[in-house]
Amino acid sequence: MNEDRLKKWKEQRQKRKQSLNHDELLAGILAGDLQSLSSGITLLESDKAVDKKIAQQLVTSCLKHSGNSIRLGITGVPGVGKSTFIESFGQTVVQRGYKIAVLAIDPSSERSGGSILGDKTRMNKLSVLENAFIRPSAAGKSLGGVARKTRESIVLCEAAGYDFILIETVGVGQSETMVHSMVDFFMLLMLAGAGDELQGIKRGIMEMADALIITKADGDNLLKARRAKKEYENAMHLFPPNKNGWIAKTLVASAYENYNIDKAFDIVESYKNHTKVNGSFFQKRKEQDKYWLHETIADILMSDFYSAERLVKAIVEVEKEVVEGNMSSFEGAEKLMDLYKKE
């Protein structure tokens, strides 16, 4: 793209952004317009006050049109093949007659704060399908492997008519659990022969998994994958049973050869039927709504605290006292909180 075309594209984008309003975005999202959906998610991720206001109204308006999808979380260590698996899984979803939205979370650099956001290019076959939507987002400083506004993005995607909302997390290991609090079904991807089998006896992220998929089960690795499957199954019997009565499934699969991807889809369908029949599906969503109420309160308080102009100077002074060893970090935090509450 030459300089003139780039300048023209930027001007058009800026003009479009300035013309966006709640009613236009809502109408576009409900009609399934991809540009409106993308613009809505961009507003959600914006730190500008005017954008936040429109975004909040948009989420509220979309709530009555949401809740009809299956929300899936997919996680696993880097290199397990999450993007490749999701592309193959997503194509299966579309072939079955459904629409799928993929919210792919990319890790952000601690130094620059930037993200590559390359998931869409790694899912080139899925990205061109009419009934698929892929949206990469930066994790930023959010913990738990998800972006700050992932949950609200789910609401917008559901309002746009997507039947499956799939969240691909950054894959940071056993601390990556926040995605579990916003999805119906939690899928953990594992590698065979990578030394992870022993982790099966530890309580952590495996305890939350509704399905454990041993990936890259092709070629010489197929035998290792089947052996690992048995070891994981034995380990998972050590965990207490789920409250919803669901027994976590294990499966070997290869996205490269499209092996058992359809069975992975069937496991999700089986889970949906099981939990909807016994009522735990909607009970879990109610518990999640309550959890996110308190998470949002904490987020608002944190934002208000650090954006308060009256505290800027005090924070700098307390930081200096803590660094110089004249005050403990706990004492400094209490002092700042007292100032915040007083004013």
Side-chain angles (χ1 to χ4, degrees):
M1 183 179 289
N2 60 41
E3 191 173 334
D4 290 337
R5 290 181 64 188
L6 180 61
K7 184 179 178 181
K8 187 177 180 181
W9 175 80
K10 285 182 177 179
E11 289 175 351
Q12 289 176 339
R13 189 162 185 242
Q14 187 65 26
K15 187 177 179 181
R16 173 176 168 76
K17 187 175 180 181
Q18 291 173 348
S19 66
L20 290 175
N21 60 59
H22 167 270
D23 294 340
E24 287 180 356
L25 282 174
L26 179 62
I29 289 172
L30 296 180
D33 178 61
L34 295 184
Q35 280 212 328
S36 296
L37 179 57
S38 295
S39 297
I41 295 175
T42 299
L43 282 178
L44 285 174
E45 295 172 345
S46 174
D47 289 324
K48 294 181 179 179
V50 63
D51 290 344
K52 284 183 177 180
K53 186 175 181 181
I54 299 174
Q56 188 176 29
Q57 293 174 338
L58 190 61
V59 172
T60 301
S61 299
C62 286
L63 270 174
K64 66 178 83 171
H65 305 282
S66 67
N68 297 318
S69 76
I70 302 296
R71 304 167 184 172
L72 283 84
I74 292 190
T75 189
V77 296
V80 77
K82 292 190 294 295
S83 295
T84 308
F85 179 87
I86 289 170
E87 177 169 54
S88 187
F89 183 86
Q91 290 179 84
T92 299
V93 170
V94 173
Q95 288 167 6
R96 297 282 183 106
Y98 298 105
K99 295 178 67 177
I100 183 169
V102 178
L103 302 176
I105 315 302
D106 260 15
S108 298
S109 168
E110 287 290 331
R111 292 185 177 182
S112 67
S115 295
I116 297 174
L117 303 179
D119 294 273
K120 199 165 185 176
T121 60
R122 293 200 299 267
M123 304 179 199
N124 56 326
K125 291 181 181 178
L126 181 62
S127 63
V128 298
L129 296 182
E130 184 179 351
N131 287 331
F133 170 74
I134 302 173
R135 170 70 185 214
S137 296
K141 294 182 180 180
S142 298
L143 299 176
V146 293
R148 184 168 54 91
K149 294 296 181 180
T150 300
R151 183 167 162 82
E152 288 93 331
S153 298
I154 291 173
V155 173
L156 266 57
C157 290
E158 287 180 340
Y162 288 91
D163 307 295
F164 284 79
I165 315 296
L166 197 153
I167 303 167
E168 179 198 2
T169 69
V170 298
V172 294
Q174 289 199 13
S175 64
E176 188 179 19
T177 55
M178 189 169 285
V179 66
H180 183 260
S181 66
M182 62 177 71
V183 297
D184 306 310
F185 189 92
F186 191 50
M187 188 180 290
L188 177 61
L189 306 186
M190 301 289 273
L191 285 170
D196 290 326
E197 288 87 342
L198 293 177
Q199 298 299 319
I201 62 174
K202 294 184 178 180
R203 293 188 179 183
I205 198 166
M206 282 186 63
E207 196 172 7
M208 299 184 216
D210 298 303
L212 194 153
I213 313 294
I214 296 93
T215 59
K216 301 184 179 181
D218 44 54
D220 296 336
N221 206 37
L222 180 57
L223 188 61
K224 292 180 183 177
R226 287 173 175 167
R227 191 182 302 122
K229 177 178 181 290
K230 292 181 180 179
E231 293 176 1
Y232 283 129
E233 284 176 338
N234 293 334
M236 291 174 81
H237 283 303
L238 300 173
F239 300 144
N242 291 322
K243 291 189 295 182
N244 59 18
W246 173 259
I247 300 173
K249 312 299 181 187
T250 56
L251 183 73
V252 296
S254 169
Y256 179 72
E257 295 183 351
N258 202 32
Y259 171 60
N260 273 353
I261 303 300
D262 56 338
K263 288 186 180 180
F265 177 88
D266 292 338
I267 288 174
V268 177
E269 285 280 273
S270 178
Y271 174 89
K272 179 190 75 172
N273 295 333
H274 172 86
T275 52
K276 283 194 172 182
V277 167
N278 66 21
S280 60
F281 184 92
F282 295 106
Q283 181 59 37
K284 182 179 180 179
R285 286 200 173 181
K286 289 178 182 178
E287 291 172 0
Q288 289 176 341
D289 288 340
K290 182 179 177 181
Y291 170 83
W292 283 99
L293 166 66
H294 294 286
E295 282 294 309
T296 305
I297 291 172
D299 187 48
I300 291 171
L301 287 173
M302 181 79 77
S303 177
D304 186 58
F305 180 89
Y306 283 106
S307 63
E309 291 184 12
R310 63 185 184 275
L311 288 177
V312 173
K313 186 178 179 180
I315 290 173
V316 173
E317 291 174 351
V318 169
E319 283 178 346
K320 184 179 179 182
E321 290 293 305
V322 170
V323 170
E324 292 179 353
N326 300 323
M327 183 186 296
S328 73
S329 56
F330 306 103
E331 184 184 355
E334 287 182 359
K335 181 178 180 179
L336 290 172
M337 283 305 300
D338 287 340
L339 282 173
Y340 176 71
K341 286 187 285 186
K342 283 178 182 177
E343 298 186 35

